[in-house]
């Protein structure tokens, strides 16, 4: 059952927090832990949004507050413009959570699980979309199989289905591809992309940074409870202002040509020059002109853009774990 929408237009932001903070009380002789510190975040409606951070950064606390599993200390949070405390019912109906853990009863079939989940959300039998959801997650042919017989990837997709039975406009995926093989990950992302194209706002947390880079149109990074970045993926990658150009030339090069002075250049395999450069200060055409000015013929060129992992490490100082 979707949230009540009478006199309630689709909002600009699917999720919005203002000064959201959470402090866990001290235990024994340990000091209190501030898991979130004044996090103000706006997740646009219809976006595929990535929330990244090292272990213990505050991502799970953020999601659990939205899900109603953790009580915030201060600040505001709204889902589909419903305050999570003042309008709890509609806020909960507006969001579907796909947890890290495979919390699936092994003795139910996918059809039974989705039907039970819809009942828990109060969706009347006549309004349940069990068959539609089974088809959307690619499990229509496994509808009557015991879930204990499903592969890990199929179980992950079933979790996505459980989160979608009440037709929420917002889907939260918490490390959904952990422990899933490459082919199953591909199938999972194909299904989620389809949902996003049909209008579902997706919030993703993952430690697979290459996935976030490929999937997300906007990325926020949180570290030690602080929001340290929130930009479009393109703009975030441009922060590093770093690019590599690999140039294969027509003869052996013993030393870096004088024409490339002032640039960071490495020689590889005698006939390959690797040029590291800031694209905001020098363009690729000038680099090629300098190579040709050294009387070197260019046989092949390839470039490598900055990767999200490099940005992540530069901002957090934490190795990927």
């Amino acid at each position: 059952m979707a949230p009540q929408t009478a006199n309630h237009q689709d909002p600009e932001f699917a999720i919005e927090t203002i000064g959201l903070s959470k402090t866990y009380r001290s235990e024994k002789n340990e000091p209190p832990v501030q898991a979130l510190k004044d996090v103000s975040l706006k997740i646009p409606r219809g976006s595929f949004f990535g929330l990244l951070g090292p272990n213990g950064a505050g991502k799970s606390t953020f999601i659990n507050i939205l899900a109603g599993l953790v009580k915030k200390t201060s600040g505001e949070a709204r889902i589909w413009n419903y305050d999570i405390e003042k309008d709890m019912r509609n806020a909960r109906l507006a969001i579907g959570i796909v947890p890290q853990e495979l919390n699936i009863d092994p003795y139910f079939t996918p059809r039974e699980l989705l039907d039970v989940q819809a009942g828990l959300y109060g969706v009347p039998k006549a309004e349940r979309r069990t068959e539609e959801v089974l088809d959307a997650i690619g499990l229509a042919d496994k509808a009557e199989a015991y879930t204990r017989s499903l592969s890990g990837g199929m179980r992950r997709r079933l979790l996505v289905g459980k989160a979608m039975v009440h037709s929420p406009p917002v889907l939260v995926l918490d490390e959904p591809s952990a422990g899933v093989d490459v082919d199953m990950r591909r199938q999972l992302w194909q299904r989620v992309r389809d949902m996003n194209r049909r209008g579902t706002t997706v919030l993703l947390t993952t430690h697979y940074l290459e996935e976030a880079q490929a999937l997300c149109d906007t990325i926020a990074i949180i570290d030690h409870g602080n929001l340290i970045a929130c930009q479009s993926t393109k703009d975030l990658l441009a922060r590093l202002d770093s690019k590599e150009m690999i140039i294969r030339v027509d003869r052996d090069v013993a030393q870096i040509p004088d024409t490339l002075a002032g640039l960071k250049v490495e020689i590889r395999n005698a006939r390959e020059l690797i040029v590291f450069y800031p694209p905001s200060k020098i363009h690729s055409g000038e680099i090629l002109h300098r190579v040709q000015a050294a009387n070197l013929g260019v046989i092949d060129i390839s470039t490598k853009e900055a990767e999200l992992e490099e940005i992540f490490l530069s901002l957090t100082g934490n190795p990927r774990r």
Side-chain angles (χ1 to χ4, degrees):
M1 180 185 295
Q4 299 298 316
T5 56
N7 299 318
H8 191 92
Q9 296 182 340
D10 287 350
E12 181 180 1
F13 301 108
I15 295 173
E16 183 175 8
T17 66
I18 302 171
L20 190 64
S21 298
K22 174 60 184 179
T23 301
Y24 291 100
R25 291 181 297 181
S26 59
E27 294 185 5
K28 298 180 181 179
N29 296 322
E30 297 295 323
V33 176
Q34 193 169 6
L36 290 179
K37 305 171 184 176
D38 296 319
V39 173
S40 295
L41 188 61
K42 294 180 178 180
I43 298 178
R45 183 185 77 246
S47 64
F48 203 129
F49 194 97
L51 180 63
L52 309 181
N55 289 335
K59 304 186 302 297
S60 292
T61 295
F62 183 86
I63 289 173
N64 287 336
I65 289 174
L66 296 180
L69 300 175
V70 169
K71 188 174 178 63
K72 63 184 174 65
T73 301
S74 61
E76 299 177 34
R78 289 188 287 272
I79 303 168
W80 214 245
N81 216 23
Y82 296 110
D83 187 279
I84 62 170
E85 290 185 347
K86 297 176 183 177
D87 203 346
M88 183 186 301
R89 173 179 166 77
N90 280 322
R92 301 279 176 83
L93 287 172
I95 194 169
I97 307 284
V98 181
Q100 294 184 39
E101 299 79 15
L102 287 169
N103 56 350
I104 295 175
D105 191 315
Y107 298 102
F108 278 75
T109 67
R111 178 176 281 118
E112 290 169 339
L113 274 174
L114 296 183
D115 220 30
V116 168
Q117 187 76 2
L120 292 174
Y121 273 98
V123 182
K125 285 188 177 181
E127 297 177 18
R128 292 179 190 175
R129 304 165 44 247
T130 302
E131 302 305 320
E132 180 185 336
V133 173
L134 283 168
D135 185 62
I137 59 176
L139 291 179
D141 61 336
K142 299 289 184 181
E144 301 301 332
Y146 285 120
T147 54
R148 63 177 181 270
S149 69
L150 301 180
S151 68
M154 291 177 180
R155 294 181 191 185
R156 287 285 176 192
R157 281 187 274 149
L158 184 53
L159 285 181
V160 174
K162 285 182 65 179
M164 296 300 295
V165 293
H166 56 297
S167 306
V170 182
L171 179 65
V172 177
L173 303 166
D174 191 6
E175 299 287 346
S177 56
V180 178
D181 66 42
V182 174
D183 187 53
M184 287 300 180
R185 283 165 64 186
R186 180 187 60 79
Q187 293 180 38
L188 173 66
W189 291 130
Q190 180 181 337
R191 302 293 175 181
V192 174
R193 272 186 172 129
D194 287 344
M195 292 177 187
N196 180 243
R197 278 193 287 266
R198 291 196 295 268
T200 300
T201 303
V202 178
L203 170 59
L204 168 69
T205 75
T206 180
H207 280 105
Y208 295 105
L209 300 185
E210 63 278 8
E211 278 187 350
Q213 182 171 339
L215 292 165
C216 300
D217 49 63
T218 309
I219 290 175
I221 297 177
I222 191 169
D223 191 26
H224 295 99
N226 294 297
L227 184 66
I228 59 175
C230 183
Q231 291 179 277
S232 71
T233 304
K234 180 181 178 181
D235 289 344
L236 189 61
L237 291 171
R239 271 194 181 201
L240 203 58
D241 197 21
S242 175
K243 197 171 182 179
E244 295 179 23
M245 179 183 288
I246 303 169
I247 307 169
R248 184 167 180 79
V249 294
D250 60 355
R251 57 186 172 86
D252 290 354
V253 180
Q255 61 184 23
I256 297 170
D258 292 340
T259 56
L260 293 175
L263 294 174
K264 182 182 178 182
V265 184
E266 294 179 3
I267 298 173
R268 184 174 70 183
N269 300 329
R271 292 198 176 193
E272 283 187 350
L273 299 173
I274 305 177
V275 183
F276 304 87
Y277 66 101
S280 67
K281 297 179 181 177
I282 183 171
H283 57 79
S284 55
E286 182 179 341
I287 294 172
L288 290 174
H289 178 73
R290 291 194 193 187
V291 171
Q292 292 167 335
N295 294 318
L296 294 171
V298 176
I299 302 299
D300 191 26
I301 305 168
S302 63
T303 58
K304 181 182 176 184
E305 304 283 349
E307 294 184 352
L308 183 58
E309 183 169 7
E310 298 172 74
I311 302 290
F312 183 85
L313 295 176
S314 70
L315 290 173
T316 67
N318 287 285
R320 189 165 53 149
R321 289 175 285 183

